[in-house]
Amino acid sequence: MPILETIRRRISRLPPPPAAPPEDLFDERFLQKLEYLHLVSKKIFSGQVRAERRTRKVGSGVEFADYRDYAPGDDLRYLDWNIYGRLERLLLRLFEEEEDLHIYVLLDVSESMSFGDPVKLHYGMQVAAALAYVGLANLDRVSIVAVADRIVDRLPPARGKGRIFNVFEFLRSLRPQRETDLAAACRTFVAQNKRRGIAVLISDLYDHAGFEGGINALRYGRFETGVIQVFDRSEVAPRLHGDLSLVDVETGEAREVTITPRILKRYAEVHQQYRERIDGFCRDKQVAHFEVDTSVPFDELVLRVLRRGGLLR
Amino acid sequence: MNLLGLTIAQYAMILAGAGALVVVFYLLKLRRRRVAVPFAKLWEQVLMEKQATSLLQRLRRVLSLLLQLLLLWLLVTALADPREEEETREGRDMVVLVDTSASMRAKDVDRGDGRIGEARAWLRRAIDNLGTQDRMMIVQMDAQVVPLTPMVDDRLVLKRGIGRLRASDTEADFPRALRLATDVLEPGREGHVILLSDGRLGEPRDQLGPVDLAGAQLHWVKIGRGGRNVAVSGFSVRRYPIDRSTCEIFLEVRNTGGQDERAELTLVGDGQELMVRRLTVPQGQSVSLTLPGQQAASRTIEARLSLVEGQCQDDEDCDQGRCSGDGRCVRGDDQPADDRAYALLPERRPIRVLAVSPGNLYLAAALLLDEYLDVTEMSPEEYQDWLAGSPERGDELPYEVVIFDGLAPPPPPSGHLIYLGVEGEEPPVEIRDEVSGGIWFDNTQSRREHPILRYVSFGDFEVYRAAVTDPRPGDRVIARSEDRNPLLIVRESEDERLTTMLTFPLRNSDLPLRLSWPVMLMNTLAWYVEQDSGFISSHATGHPVHLRVPGEAESARVCGPPGCVEVAVHHGEAVFLPSRAGFYRVETEEGQMMVAANLTSPRESNVEPAEAVEVQSQAASDPPVMRAGVGGHIWLWLLMVAAGLVLFEWLTYHRRVTV
């Protein structure tokens, strides 16, 4: 409801929503960069079989993956009798199942993503498009999901480079909206997507309910989770001074403050602590975490993601 | 405390209105600018830590409002121009008569610049403490009464007037100054006449009678406390009529101080020291000196007077003086204005004289008396030849005076003439007859005031033979015989030629045997060339000098001790007023003259201040109270406090003390 949204912003004296993404967001130069990223990814992962990826799903594959305790009802063919002979324990052999890789790019489109120069959402769109291109080019199934306090929109899974323009079109249609509730959105996502795969969450992680809920939902849904945290430098060191009323762009809550250098310094410390907390959490949960500010070119970020491995290949 | 800039109602309205405006603006300022942030939760964490200081913050905000209101009050109150009660009462008009007569040059005060300096200092204090409604006018009072400022309350104008005060060597014209003051004071306003003087002002009475103060209050600021003074109260110099190279000096020294004094008199002639003499002058008495036979000076003579005090080794032993050769301290007294006197000697220049005579020892001897006479002697035949050839040499005769001794040939085209006997080829006067034997001068009928007859007495002269003449119209007979026959005739022709005629030849009388003969001849020559033979009187300072200048100049330049001024020449006279003692040079295109001016006023030489000043039998009172303090500058202090507060607020704000 654009009219209602406009009225809400007027009442709350919030800045108008950012305009549509610029036309040159996915221009020819962008495509050239994507092709370059694809080539680089090939070089990094040369010798890999197309669509071959060991998933965490254990099943009827031929490559041993792990053991687990026997439970009634399990297929007795997979019992390891040698272990039983040595240890007198019934352990079931697990094998990795080979299947097509599903890549889910979850892009945060909440109001907080409308900040920054360039706008964080536009930056996130470029990163999402780049990851999608690499996945499509590797014949993986790529789906893009726009999340805020729920799933706002989604692009169904697709395969092949030729679908990249669908990706562009989908991304261009996205606008910042609603509050952030990653936990709710991710829970919905997990419930709707039975096929597990890689879930890359691109967000600023400014979630009033806590960023952990969303990541945990993905983890618990057995998605191989990666988090790309996007922020703008002006959020770390805002150029504010004097007596102000700070309004949260999502909730509309206002807080009066007189900005002094001491407060700015303290804010920078708090922001740093918040980012460290995210990083620590991801490290503890073995979630790949990439922190980037929007001044870093998106292709550099994607290369960083690719080189680090484990998330895409 | 009263407000002059605004009424109470205006003050209250402006204060209330502006105060309300400040509060409104303050409240508007409290509606802070809204700024959207992506994640306010982070800010909350910061602000929670600031909660503890919020009370202080609120207090600071209240302080900020109070500070603004205080600034507003300071500014509005400054605008209202608050004054103390004393300042706001009805204004006074004050005419300050500053005595700048010679007595105010005395140095019997602590200040180095003498009484006039003390008067200036008093005036400065008075101007600084002038009430806001008060007005003042400064008038310089000496021989001239000169307003130095209009009646104003502008301190700057008044202080500029102080800078123009100069003491002179003249007497104060007190009645005229009082009349000016009473004329200036406006009726209906409180008028004060303040005298800054030593009180030696003379009677407040002039030709119009006693001065009426017309209701004005007279105040007197007594300046001076008395001291030591010896004054040159009389000084004149004259040449001897016969021997003009020497002169006689008359000098009078008066002690106007409070003790007997020993003084040193120095005479300076033409810039060279002529003589130094010590003299003792008892308190309140005068000592006269006559110094005959002084030969060194030719034009100017100056008398300088100093006090002689205790013994000394060198100059360092003498306070403000010098150590003389005989080991005595010599210094000026407390009144320098009357320590010097000036006199001029008649100017000497050669006079070209042609004596046409068959040979006359008496004439030749008389002409030898004056070394400044350039005498040429010719016989009558030589004169005829010379006269015949003179047109070839032009009309300009090289002789200023031609003397015909016992003959009357045709006169030369120009030059003054002296006929010693009128008979001859071309008599200068009509001769009717001739008388002889026992002709006596009649002293009662001689014109003794004529310059020719100065110092001349005809009492016992006898003429043996003389012509009986009929003087022409315009001729003046200045000596007659007892039977009224003209014996000495002078003529002033229209061509400015002067002619003196003795109606008898020199040898036909016993005149050449008398002292009066050379005196009369010298007088005649001096009269011809406009030289005062013996004496030039000095002028008194403060009195106008009317000086006849040569030619038809319309202006003259007068240079003297006060400087040079251009004065107009009216009816051939340059008129100026010498304000300082000394020599004055009057220059025109035709030439220049000198005049000496002296202060010879016993009143100005008296350095003891008067006991009281009375006008209309009413003694002058102490000066009116000038209110001291910040005066009309309260608003300025308020502005300074406001500026200080703004500066303090600026510093604390930018150092984040108050935010």
Side-chain angles (χ1 to χ4, degrees):
Chain A
M1 299 291 281
I3 296 176
L4 289 178
E5 177 62 18
T6 304
I7 292 172
R8 186 182 80 84
R9 285 180 177 276
R10 285 278 173 87
I11 291 172
S12 301
R13 291 182 149 213
L14 294 175
E23 287 297 321
D24 59 351
L25 193 64
F26 304 123
D27 58 2
E28 195 159 338
R29 196 153 160 259
F30 181 76
L31 276 172
Q32 287 173 357
K33 284 187 178 179
L34 294 187
E35 188 59 29
Y36 167 74
L37 288 173
H38 170 58
L39 291 174
V40 170
S41 70
K42 283 284 185 191
K43 191 175 178 181
I44 292 172
F45 305 114
S46 61
Q48 298 293 327
V49 181
R50 270 191 310 182
E52 274 191 348
R53 176 181 171 83
R54 287 178 293 242
T55 70
R56 294 284 173 92
K57 183 179 176 184
V58 290
S60 56
V62 293
E63 193 162 340
F64 173 76
D66 203 354
Y67 291 101
R68 71 169 169 83
D69 289 336
Y70 169 78
D74 284 342
D75 192 344
L76 296 176
R77 289 179 299 175
Y78 295 111
L79 277 173
D80 192 331
W81 297 107
N82 292 331
I83 295 292
Y84 180 74
R86 288 202 301 272
L87 304 175
E88 291 186 353
R89 283 184 61 188
L90 285 174
L91 293 175
L92 204 67
R93 282 185 296 186
L94 299 178
F95 296 91
E96 288 186 350
E97 188 176 26
E98 293 178 355
E99 60 179 6
D100 290 347
L101 178 64
H102 279 70
I103 300 173
Y104 300 96
V105 179
L106 281 74
L107 180 60
D108 181 1
V109 295
S110 65
E111 292 272 14
S112 64
M113 290 291 281
S114 63
F115 278 78
D117 183 21
V119 175
K120 287 187 287 184
L121 179 59
H122 299 164
Y123 188 84
M125 287 175 179
Q126 287 184 314
V127 174
L131 294 176
Y133 187 81
V134 172
L136 290 172
N138 289 334
L139 298 179
D140 293 328
R141 290 188 180 275
V142 177
S143 175
I144 297 178
V145 182
V147 296
D149 55 351
R150 60 181 171 81
I151 291 177
V152 175
D153 203 354
R154 66 162 56 234
L155 179 70
R159 191 195 332 223
K161 281 202 294 186
R163 307 301 297 273
I164 190 65
F165 293 101
N166 291 350
V167 172
F168 291 164
E169 191 178 346
F170 173 76
L171 289 174
R172 276 200 191 100
S173 68
L174 297 177
R175 299 287 183 275
Q177 54 191 297
R178 312 182 73 85
E179 297 179 23
T180 306
D181 188 349
L182 291 176
C186 289
R187 276 197 295 271
T188 306
F189 167 76
V190 169
Q192 289 178 352
N193 293 274
K194 300 300 181 187
R195 298 294 299 266
R196 302 305 187 237
I198 296 172
V200 180
L201 175 61
I202 302 174
S203 171
D204 53 13
L205 300 180
Y206 290 153
D207 190 342
H208 287 269
F211 65 90
E212 297 91 343
I215 298 173
N216 282 335
L218 294 175
R219 284 177 57 237
Y220 298 157
R222 294 162 60 191
F223 283 91
E224 194 172 344
T225 308
V227 175
I228 297 176
Q229 184 193 354
V230 181
F231 62 91
D232 191 81
R233 286 196 172 179
S234 65
E235 295 170 10
V236 182
R239 290 184 175 180
L240 301 174
H241 58 86
D243 294 334
L244 299 174
S245 180
L246 301 179
V247 182
D248 190 290
V249 73
E250 292 183 0
T251 64
E253 290 175 4
R255 190 63 193 258
E256 291 185 350
V257 62
T258 300
I259 301 294
T260 66
R262 196 170 49 195
I263 285 184
L264 286 178
K265 185 181 175 188
R266 178 66 191 133
Y267 172 79
E269 290 171 1
V270 168
H271 196 276
Q272 178 67 24
Q273 289 168 4
Y274 185 68
R275 279 154 45 204
E276 286 173 357
R277 190 155 68 89
I278 294 171
D279 192 52
F281 174 81
C282 292
R283 197 165 50 245
D284 289 347
K285 306 303 178 189
Q286 294 183 335
V287 173
H289 173 235
F290 301 92
E291 181 187 278
V292 65
D293 73 74
T294 54
S295 63
V296 176
F298 79 94
D299 46 345
E300 192 178 309
L301 169 68
V302 174
L303 279 177
R304 215 165 84 199
V305 172
L306 293 176
R307 286 198 178 99
R308 180 162 166 182
L311 191 60
L312 292 178
R313 59 182 175 181
Chain B
M1 187 74 70
N2 289 333
L3 302 179
L4 294 189
L6 300 170
T7 63
I8 293 291
Q10 288 173 327
Y11 177 68
M13 280 177 61
I14 292 176
L15 202 58
L21 211 59
V22 165
V23 172
V24 167
F25 283 147
Y26 183 78
L27 292 176
L28 286 176
K29 184 180 179 297
L30 288 181
R31 274 192 79 186
R32 294 158 180 256
R33 186 162 57 96
R34 292 169 73 90
V35 175
V37 291
F39 195 44
K41 195 174 178 182
L42 295 179
W43 286 101
E44 280 174 15
Q45 191 174 340
V46 175
L47 297 178
M48 278 174 65
E49 297 170 5
K50 291 277 290 177
Q51 285 288 341
T53 60
S54 62
L55 182 63
L56 180 62
Q57 197 69 35
R58 278 199 294 274
L59 186 61
R60 281 174 179 166
R61 288 182 187 285
V62 173
L63 280 176
S64 175
L65 177 61
L66 288 177
L67 183 68
Q68 291 176 42
L69 291 174
L70 178 61
L71 280 173
L72 176 73
W73 178 80
L74 288 169
L75 293 175
V76 174
T77 308
L79 186 69
D81 194 8
R83 301 297 176 104
E84 293 180 11
E85 295 284 349
E86 177 69 19
E87 269 192 287
T88 53
R89 63 185 180 78
E90 194 174 346
R92 302 166 292 185
D93 281 355
M94 289 175 272
V95 180
V96 183
L97 303 178
V98 186
D99 182 4
T100 54
S101 65
S103 60
M104 290 294 281
R105 291 183 62 196
K107 299 185 181 300
D108 56 337
V109 292
D110 295 331
R111 300 178 60 90
D113 46 358
R115 291 180 178 179
I116 194 71
E118 195 156 294
R120 286 194 189 106
W122 188 93
L123 257 179
R124 281 194 196 93
R125 287 195 300 272
I127 290 169
D128 286 338
N129 293 323
L130 207 59
T132 50
Q133 301 298 307
D134 292 343
R135 298 190 303 171
M136 184 181 277
M137 176 182 187
I138 301 174
V139 178
Q140 175 169 305
M141 174 177 65
D142 48 33
Q144 293 176 300
V145 177
V146 182
L148 298 181
T149 67
M151 181 71 79
V152 290
D153 57 358
D154 188 331
R155 289 173 169 81
L156 201 60
V157 172
L158 291 169
K159 286 189 175 178
R160 276 204 294 264
I162 294 176
R164 291 196 289 272
L165 279 172
R166 296 282 183 278
S168 67
D169 289 342
T170 64
E171 289 185 330
D173 193 345
F174 186 38
R176 201 161 135 218
L178 282 178
R179 288 198 187 281
L180 172 74
T182 52
D183 288 346
V184 165
L185 291 173
E186 287 181 17
R189 279 179 69 93
E190 187 180 325
H192 298 262
V193 179
I194 304 173
L195 278 173
L196 300 185
S197 171
D198 52 15
R200 298 289 176 187
L201 296 168
E203 286 297 313
R205 168 192 291 274
D206 54 14
Q207 295 89 337
L208 301 175
V211 178
D212 181 9
L213 285 175
Q217 299 175 42
L218 183 68
H219 309 275
W220 177 37
V221 179
K222 184 177 181 178
I223 297 198
R225 60 189 180 205
R228 300 167 62 185
N229 185 38
V230 285
V232 182
S233 53
F235 184 51
S236 66
V237 183
R238 67 174 182 180
R239 294 187 189 280
Y240 289 118
I242 301 299
D243 182 6
R244 291 184 190 167
S245 62
T246 58
C247 59
E248 188 173 82
I249 299 172
F250 169 77
L251 190 136
E252 185 184 70
V253 177
R254 183 171 184 79
N255 180 356
T256 63
Q259 62 186 73
D260 295 348
E261 297 288 2
R262 185 155 174 77
E264 180 178 280
L265 172 69
T266 305
L267 288 179
V268 177
D270 297 334
Q272 301 294 321
E273 191 173 282
L274 301 179
M275 185 202 74
V276 177
R277 177 173 291 190
R278 296 275 170 80
L279 56 158
T280 302
V281 191
Q283 178 192 356
Q285 295 188 23
S286 300
V287 172
S288 298
L289 290 176
T290 303
L291 306 171
Q294 303 295 321
Q295 288 189 317
S298 65
R299 186 63 178 141
T300 64
I301 291 191
E302 183 181 343
R304 298 173 182 172
L305 211 53
S306 306
L307 292 179
V308 179
E309 296 184 315
Q311 294 186 336
C312 60
Q313 297 290 331
D314 51 28
D315 289 351
E316 291 182 358
D317 295 339
C318 301
D319 182 27
Q320 298 178 340
R322 60 180 173 82
C323 189
S324 65
D326 60 349
R328 305 298 292 257
C329 282
V330 177
R331 72 167 181 89
D333 57 25
D334 290 330
Q335 170 56 299
D338 54 13
D339 289 346
R340 294 193 176 197
Y342 306 85
L344 284 172
L345 285 165
E347 193 175 14
R348 304 296 312 276
R349 64 178 178 82
I351 304 171
R352 297 180 302 279
V353 178
L354 173 63
V356 183
S357 169
N360 187 336
L361 192 59
Y362 299 112
L363 177 61
L367 291 174
L368 281 175
L369 285 175
D370 191 344
E371 61 187 15
Y372 277 81
L373 293 180
D374 182 8
V375 180
T376 302
E377 293 186 8
M378 287 185 186
S379 65
E381 294 76 23
E382 289 172 331
Y383 172 73
Q384 291 295 345
D385 294 343
W386 174 82
L387 189 62
S390 66
E392 296 175 6
R393 295 190 296 273
D395 290 333
E396 185 63 32
L397 195 69
Y399 301 108
E400 294 168 81
V401 181
V402 180
I403 303 173
F404 295 113
D405 178 23
L407 61 158
S414 63
H416 304 299
L417 304 174
I418 298 176
Y419 288 91
L420 305 177
V422 293
E423 293 178 1
E425 184 183 348
E426 194 172 314
V429 65
E430 187 179 345
I431 301 172
R432 279 194 286 113
D433 199 358
E434 185 179 277
V435 292
S436 59
I439 305 167
W440 296 90
F441 277 87
D442 184 356
N443 251 338
T444 61
Q445 296 191 44
S446 61
R447 300 292 182 94
R448 302 297 301 271
E449 75 281 3
H450 198 277
I452 290 179
L453 299 186
R454 183 182 291 174
Y455 314 121
V456 173
S457 172
F458 291 127
D460 54 353
F461 289 168
E462 184 179 4
V463 179
Y464 310 124
R465 188 169 63 84
V468 178
T469 58
D470 285 335
R472 296 178 188 173
D475 288 352
R476 293 178 66 194
V477 179
I478 60 173
R480 293 177 186 272
S481 63
E482 288 177 340
D483 55 358
R484 298 188 57 77
N485 189 33
L487 294 178
L488 184 58
I489 304 169
V490 294
R491 177 183 297 156
E492 298 182 29
S493 306
E494 289 182 354
D495 58 356
E496 297 185 350
R497 165 179 277 187
L498 301 175
T499 305
T500 303
M501 295 162 277
L502 273 177
T503 58
F504 54 91
L506 205 56
R507 293 174 185 278
N508 289 351
S509 72
D510 61 359
L511 179 63
L513 303 176
R514 309 290 178 176
L515 187 59
S516 291
W517 155 242
V519 173
M520 189 177 71
L521 182 61
M522 294 300 116
N523 284 346
T524 307
L525 291 173
W527 179 52
Y528 280 180
V529 296
E530 294 183 340
Q531 286 186 359
D532 194 313
S533 60
F535 175 69
I536 298 177
S537 65
S538 297
H539 295 264
T541 52
H543 294 272
V545 172
H546 295 260
L547 190 69
R548 180 163 290 281
V549 295
E552 296 180 350
E554 294 182 349
S555 67
R557 181 177 172 80
V558 179
C559 293
C564 293
V565 291
E566 290 284 335
V567 299
V569 174
H570 189 60
H571 294 309
E573 286 183 340
V575 182
F576 65 97
L577 189 135
S579 60
R580 299 291 296 270
F583 296 113
Y584 289 79
R585 194 173 65 253
V586 182
E587 299 171 347
T588 64
E589 293 176 353
E590 305 285 335
Q592 67 176 28
M593 290 161 286
M594 286 192 73
V595 167
N598 287 322
L599 168 67
T600 51
S601 167
R603 195 172 79 198
E604 298 301 325
S605 293
N606 190 348
V607 291
E608 288 296 323
E611 293 298 323
V613 174
E614 287 189 359
V615 177
Q616 292 177 305
S617 303
Q618 184 180 351
S621 60
D622 289 337
V625 174
M626 300 288 184
R627 193 196 54 74
V630 294
H633 304 310
I634 292 177
W635 64 270
L636 191 60
W637 288 104
L638 291 173
L639 281 187
M640 287 170 67
V641 171
L645 278 176
V646 169
L647 183 65
F648 172 75
E649 199 274 341
W650 185 85
L651 284 174
T652 54
Y653 179 83
H654 286 277
R655 288 178 180 278
R656 302 294 173 190
V657 177
T658 54
V659 293

